[in-house]
Each structure stands twice: as C-alpha cells, then as structure tokens.
Amino acid sequence: MQKSENEKTTLNLKLDNRSYPIHIEPGSINSESLRQLVQQSDAGNCVIITDHHLYDIYSDWLKMLKVIVVKAGESSKDICVYESVLEQMIKLGISRTGTIIAFGGGVIGDLAGFVAATYMRGIDFYQIPTSLLAMVDSSIGGKVAVNLSSGKNLVGTFYQPKAVYIDPLLLKTLDKREWANGMAEVLKYAIGFDREFFDELSKYTLTDIMADEQLLIPIIARCCKIKIDVVEQDEKDMGIRNLLNFGHTIGHAIEAHYNYEKYLHGEGIAIGMAIKAKLAVDSGLLNEAEMERILEVISKYDLPIKLSDMMTKEEVDQLLSYIIHDKKRQVEEVEWITFKKLGQLESKPEKIETFIEQISKELLKA
Ligand SMILES: O=C(O)C(=O)C[C@@H](O)[C@H](O)[C@H](O)COP(=O)(O)O
C-alpha cells in the first residue's frame, strides 16, 4: 500500500450548493485551529457538541468555548438527548445564523448533525470526527439521525456539513475495540467496492494500522474517496448508495436486539458481512476460498464473524423482527445487498420472509 507523507489532502464532495471539502491533515486539529473555526463562525453564535469522554481529554481546548456535552456512547443517539441539546442551544442563545461543530465519533456526528438540520429549521454545521468510524464513514454524506427503540437511525434526514476536518492524530485516544469498530467500515469498502484494497488490507493486522500513520492516512483517504463517489451519485440513498449499507440490515438488528450495549456498530456489521459472504457461497456468487479469506481478514482485524452466544429460535426471531423496520424495506421486500463478486456488490429486492429465513438459518448455526 502506497505510504503517504505528512501533507494535507483535501477531497471535495460535489453536490451543487451543498458541496463541501473534506480535509485530511495530521495535527490540524488543536486548541488554536478549533478557536479559529469558532471565531470564523461568530464565537458567540457557535457551539461545539461533544461527549464527556472527549471533554475530559480536551477540556483545555474546549473550556473557553460554548460547549454542549452529552454522555459518550450510542445511548446519546436518543430523542430525549436530542431535545435536551435543542433546549441547551436556546439557553446558549444560538440564533438561526448560528453554527454547530460536531467534535466526536459517529454518535456525536449523527446527533449534532440532526440538531443542526432541525434547530430553527436548520443551521450550519461542521464535522470534526474523532473516531476511525466517523473519519471513514459517518462524518461524510449527510446521514444524520437518532435511534428509536424500534431500531437504528429511524428518525433523521440528509443534511450535509459545511466541511469535514479529519486529523488522524485524534485517533490516539481510541482504544483497540474502537479502532476495530472503524475498521469494519474500512473492510466494507474493501470487500464490497475495491478488491485491490481488500488484498492490500489482508497483508496487515489491526496493530499494524494502529501503529503506522503512514499506512493509516492513505486508508482513510481511500475510504473517503469511495464514499464521496457513491454519495455524489445518489445522495438520498435511493439506488447505488444502498450498497454502502452492506451488512447493515443484520448489523443494525444485532445492535438494537442487544439494546446498543453488547455490540458496537462495526461489530454488528462485521457479523452481517460474514453472514452475507457465507450465503454468497450457497448462491455461487463467491467461491469457498474467497469466503474463507473474507472471514479470515475480518477476524484479523479483531472483529467477530458470528454472535458470541448461541441463540434460541425465539431469540433469533426477536432479533430479526428489527429487519421489518429497516429503511431499505419496501412493502413486502427488503433490498438484499450481496456480491456480484469479491470487491463488487449489487442490490436486489428480496421477499422479507426469504431474507429472514436465510439469515435465521445462519444465526442458528453453532
Ligand atoms: O452513508 C450511507 O449511506 C451508509 O449506509 C453508511 C453506513 O455505513 C452508516 O452506518 C449509516 O449510518 C447507516 O445508514 P442507515 O441509512 O442504514 O441508517
């Protein structure tokens, strides 16, 4: 894999008047640059939304600025937390010409983006992702949302940021499980969109990527480029963008079934991608060796390829009931995202009963 120097990379996501830059530069985010971004947005009318874990780490950067802090973790992607943040925005005197800076992982980006999309009918926002998952996926493309008990991301909209600032050095605060969490989305791009990328990643381990910034930066840029290309073609997820949801129908159901406590998003979709790879062999879309390689590489990056506990048929049925609420669902069908070949996906409508029967069979296997 091509190693990069420490220069700045700027990518551009082109969507008419909703176009924006995605800056990738190690060391670009610090107290001074954060202050400048706030100043340029009118300091008194700009608020940073972050979580308590990050506030503890970066309090020196944040304490002089207007900040709203929520609890770290998926439980903050919640309607009540969303309402609380809106009320705090009012109390902070943020007007309809105000700005939000989302400084956090996927949860913060999705929550803060949804607040920005709806506060006084919409104000500007910037994404400063601090997790690998947010850097390679959720901070780009404008999907913003909160969860319901019925499922993931069920209340939200498409609302593009004004810019995304990616500083890989911020990942130093991430624990290994969170690194693996983000690598699941990296592997999604490789397995589903870029065979050469998959072959390259298969040469490394999670530890290699964590330890070598010169390896990491091109990986982040490659993921952003794939995401940009897809979003520019299908911003509202009516066609090709469905493919970015590979492994997610099962993954979201797993997350929701365990109340967003047992499995991180990346762990859920890793299991989802592994199940899809196994089923692709049954339908002749992958050969046994390709499937085995996919499972091996997913495992190599410290991600699960199956649920950790055996499930009863009743438990599997309960887990799969979340599929009914998947947003790719039509009336009687759900978009089945599967392989054309390793490195290329396709989406086709599948009867929900068939979908559930096939996934159920895999989930019940030892
Ligand atoms: O950007 C997209 O489109 C994706 O599907 C990317 C997903 O990796 C991401 O997790 C997204 O938030 C899930 O989207 P959803 O539409 O299933 O809520």
Side-chain angles (χ1 to χ4, degrees), residues 33-46:
S33 61
L34 211 47
R35 196 189 57 75
Q36 282 173 6
L37 182 58
V38 169
Q39 290 292 352
Q40 81 180 36
S41 318
D42 174 7
N45 206 10
C46 177

Side-chain angles (χ1 to χ4, degrees), residues 221-271:
R222 197 160 182 169
C223 293
C224 292
K225 286 171 185 168
I226 294 171
K227 177 101 187 216
I228 288 166
D229 177 54
V230 172
V231 172
E232 285 179 343
Q233 296 177 67
D234 177 21
E235 179 188 10
K236 299 297 178 63
D237 197 12
M238 304 302 284
I240 186 177
R241 189 168 181 175
N242 277 195
L243 302 183
L244 290 174
N245 226 237
F246 177 53
H248 282 62
T249 302
I250 303 165
H252 284 170
I254 290 171
E255 290 182 79
H257 177 74
Y258 290 98
N259 197 30
Y260 306 103
E261 289 165 357
K262 183 169 183 179
Y263 292 93
L264 298 176
H265 176 67
E267 295 162 350
I269 67 167
I271 294 168

Side-chain angles (χ1 to χ4, degrees), residues 110 137 140 143 152-153 185 188 227 237 241 244-245 248 252 265 327:
D110 287 5
D137 180 38
I140 297 166
K143 279 190 176 181
K152 180 110 173 174
N153 297 338
E185 295 287 5
K188 176 192 76 179
K227 177 101 187 216
D237 197 12
R241 189 168 181 175
L244 290 174
N245 226 237
H248 282 62
H252 284 170
H265 176 67
K327 294 179 289 300

Side-chain angles (χ1 to χ4, degrees), residues 79-285:
I79 285 279
C80 297
V81 175
Y82 160 74
E83 182 187 10
S84 164
V85 171
L86 292 169
E87 292 290 1
Q88 292 178 68
M89 299 266 293
I90 297 288
K91 291 191 176 76
L92 287 169
I94 306 299
S95 78
R96 67 186 297 182
T97 58
T99 305
I100 287 174
I101 296 172
F103 181 64
V107 167
I108 292 297
D110 287 5
L111 172 68
F114 188 46
V115 170
T118 52
Y119 182 75
M120 296 191 180
R121 295 199 180 88
I123 65 173
D124 290 349
F125 87 113
Y126 293 89
Q127 289 270 20
I128 303 180
T130 62
S131 72
L132 181 59
L133 183 140
M135 290 181 184
V136 300
D137 180 38
S138 59
S139 66
I140 297 166
K143 279 190 176 181
V144 293
V146 293
N147 304 325
L148 293 180
S149 54
S150 301
K152 180 110 173 174
N153 297 338
L154 290 180
V155 178
T157 188
F158 295 88
Y159 195 70
Q160 305 296 342
K162 290 301 172 192
V164 182
Y165 296 96
I166 295 173
D167 177 353
L169 297 190
L170 294 177
L171 296 177
K172 292 198 183 311
T173 69
L174 240 50
D175 63 28
K176 195 166 187 182
R177 189 181 176 200
E178 268 300 334
W179 273 90
N181 190 34
M183 281 307 297
E185 295 287 5
V186 175
L187 292 173
K188 176 192 76 179
Y189 292 119
I191 292 166
F193 295 81
D194 188 337
R195 170 64 189 262
E196 186 198 331
F197 191 20
F198 175 75
D199 292 339
E200 287 290 331
L201 288 172
S202 64
K203 298 171 189 167
Y204 299 98
T205 65
L206 182 59
T207 307
D208 296 330
I209 309 292
M210 288 174 70
D212 186 347
E213 197 181 291
Q214 300 313 315
L215 203 52
L216 172 66
I217 293 168
I219 288 172
I220 293 174
R222 197 160 182 169
C223 293
C224 292
K225 286 171 185 168
I226 294 171
K227 177 101 187 216
I228 288 166
D229 177 54
V230 172
V231 172
E232 285 179 343
Q233 296 177 67
D234 177 21
E235 179 188 10
K236 299 297 178 63
D237 197 12
M238 304 302 284
I240 186 177
R241 189 168 181 175
N242 277 195
L243 302 183
L244 290 174
N245 226 237
F246 177 53
H248 282 62
T249 302
I250 303 165
H252 284 170
I254 290 171
E255 290 182 79
H257 177 74
Y258 290 98
N259 197 30
Y260 306 103
E261 289 165 357
K262 183 169 183 179
Y263 292 93
L264 298 176
H265 176 67
E267 295 162 350
I269 67 167
I271 294 168
M273 292 191 287
I275 287 175
K276 285 296 183 74
K278 292 172 194 168
L279 292 172
V281 174
D282 297 346
S283 38
L285 299 167

Side-chain angles (χ1 to χ4, degrees), residues 277-278 280-282 284-295:
K278 292 172 194 168
V281 174
D282 297 346
L285 299 167
L286 289 180
N287 63 44
E288 195 78 28
E290 289 169 326
M291 183 269 285
E292 290 299 343
R293 268 195 82 205
I294 289 172
L295 301 190

